[in-house]
Amino acid sequence: MIWLELRTNNRTYNPGWNFSESVWAPIQTQDGSKWPFWNLINQVVKGDIIFHLRNINGNKRFVGYSTAATDGYIISGSPTQQNHEWDFVQTYYKVELTDFITLNPTILLSDFFTNNNADLRTYFSTNRARRTNKKRLFYVIQRGRLQCLNGAYFSEFDVILPSMLVRNYDTNRRENAVVENVNTGVAVGEVEHRIGHQIFSDNVKENFSSKCCFPNCPVEGRGFLISGHIARWADNEPLRGHTGNGLCLCLMHDKAFEKGLFTLDENYRVVVLVNDFTNRQWLSDLLQGGNNLEIKPRQINPLSQALKDHWRRIGYER
Ligand SMILES: [Zn+2]
């Protein structure tokens, strides 16, 4: 997922709580209620991209992006030593950040609103009409104008927003549909590359409804899944960003696929390739139950070209 942090103050906090070191928020407001924009921090998964919007000389600017170094977690502690506005709470949602990269030049929020005015309005109303998967956005339409929502400290910076931010970035996006293709490998710049990779990963998980696609595997939820490439990144450039070149698997099944302990046939059925399970009951438990069964339902099927690449790589003959 791609997220947006809106940090409007320039205060210095304890080490680890400052800008580009982490994102954090109290787990509840002063009256004990939950604030949805704060709860989102707990949904971050290691590797997610976080864009940053800051106040610089009175103007809000997109200044750069970071990578989540941890999943969202809960910590008892304090961002400052002295009295501060968060004294009412001792428990926070937090995500450690790494690899802060500056946007050069930084992008004025007002320019972003002006340049993408029509698209942002369309996106806003489409999102509002969604029955499920409605995103919490950092902006609203107020008195006919696009406005930053000041309480939106942490929000979902959905696919279309960073792609507006980075011009010339072609997502081939279809609203509310699983995207067929993203040019993840285009070497236009690091930002496009990172965004493309993240979008591929999100699309693959969405394609399998965030479940491990191995038959009968019970694992689900973004944080426990990997969007693995069927044809390796380095081996097949044209297929890189294609959702059909991805399998959504839990950590164990991803590893087993990567090592060639199983593959899929042309009908998307699991073919277990381990000959000898002696003294490896756990591996038998992991794989045997899925043998000859079709992977879980998806909107886009794995590409046969990608599967052939996998067969070739692991020496599987059909
Ligand atoms: Zn699994």
Side-chain angles (χ1 to χ4, degrees), residues 163 169-175 177-183:
S163 60
Y169 180 69
D170 177 21
T171 61
N172 301 326
R173 187 169 199 278
R174 294 198 315 271
E175 194 64 39
V178 173
V179 184
E180 291 262 5
N181 198 357
V182 183
N183 294 322

Side-chain angles (χ1 to χ4, degrees), residues 214 229-232 247 249 251-265 269-277 280 283 286-288 291 306-317:
F214 194 91
H229 286 91
I230 300 172
R232 273 185 179 166
L247 287 181
L249 293 165
L251 308 182
M252 293 298 286
H253 283 126
D254 177 72
K255 195 74 170 172
F257 185 79
E258 185 59 25
K259 289 174 83 72
L261 304 186
F262 77 93
T263 189
L264 305 181
D265 69 16
R269 287 177 309 213
V270 168
V271 183
V272 175
L273 298 167
V274 180
N275 303 322
D276 185 5
F277 285 107
R280 292 198 291 178
L283 192 57
L286 186 72
L287 298 177
Q288 291 289 62
N291 200 21
L307 288 175
K308 281 175 187 156
D309 270 34
H310 189 244
W311 298 345
R312 197 176 311 124
R313 181 166 72 73
I314 64 175
Y316 171 65
E317 310 262 346

Side-chain angles (χ1 to χ4, degrees), residues 21 24 34 116 119 148 155 203 216 233 247 277 290-291:
E21 294 176 344
W24 52 269
K34 296 280 183 188
N116 302 293
D119 289 343
C148 189
S155 60
N203 285 342
N216 302 322
W233 186 262
L247 287 181
F277 285 107
N291 200 21

Side-chain angles (χ1 to χ4, degrees), residues 203-252:
N203 285 342
V204 170
K205 286 175 187 170
E206 199 176 323
N207 191 31
F208 289 97
S209 307
S210 291
K211 293 176 177 161
C212 173
C213 73
F214 194 91
N216 302 322
C217 179
V219 178
E220 57 182 70
R222 284 185 69 235
F224 297 93
L225 297 168
I226 288 178
S227 300
H229 286 91
I230 300 172
R232 273 185 179 166
W233 186 262
D235 295 349
N236 199 320
E237 195 170 336
L239 298 185
R240 276 180 186 177
H242 200 295
T243 305
N245 185 28
L247 287 181
C248 177
L249 293 165
C250 68
L251 308 182
M252 293 298 286

Side-chain angles (χ1 to χ4, degrees), residues 16 22 37 39 50 53 56 81 106 115 156 173 179 183 227 239 241 251 256 271 275 284 299 302 315:
S22 64
F37 290 94
N39 296 353
I50 294 101
L53 188 55
I56 296 175
Q81 260 104 38
T106 58
N115 296 339
E156 290 167 271
R173 187 169 199 278
V179 184
N183 294 322
S227 300
L239 298 185
L251 308 182
V271 183
N275 303 322
S284 171
Q299 294 181 53

Side-chain angles (χ1 to χ4, degrees), residues 34-73:
K34 296 280 183 188
W35 181 239
F37 290 94
W38 293 351
N39 296 353
L40 290 177
I41 292 173
N42 208 25
Q43 296 177 22
V44 174
V45 170
K46 184 179 174 179
D48 283 355
I49 300 175
I50 294 101
F51 276 86
H52 303 283
L53 188 55
R54 296 208 88 184
N55 231 337
I56 296 175
N57 302 327
N59 293 311
K60 290 194 181 74
R61 288 178 171 275
F62 294 97
V63 296
Y65 68 95
S66 309
T67 303
T70 63
D71 289 358
Y73 66 96

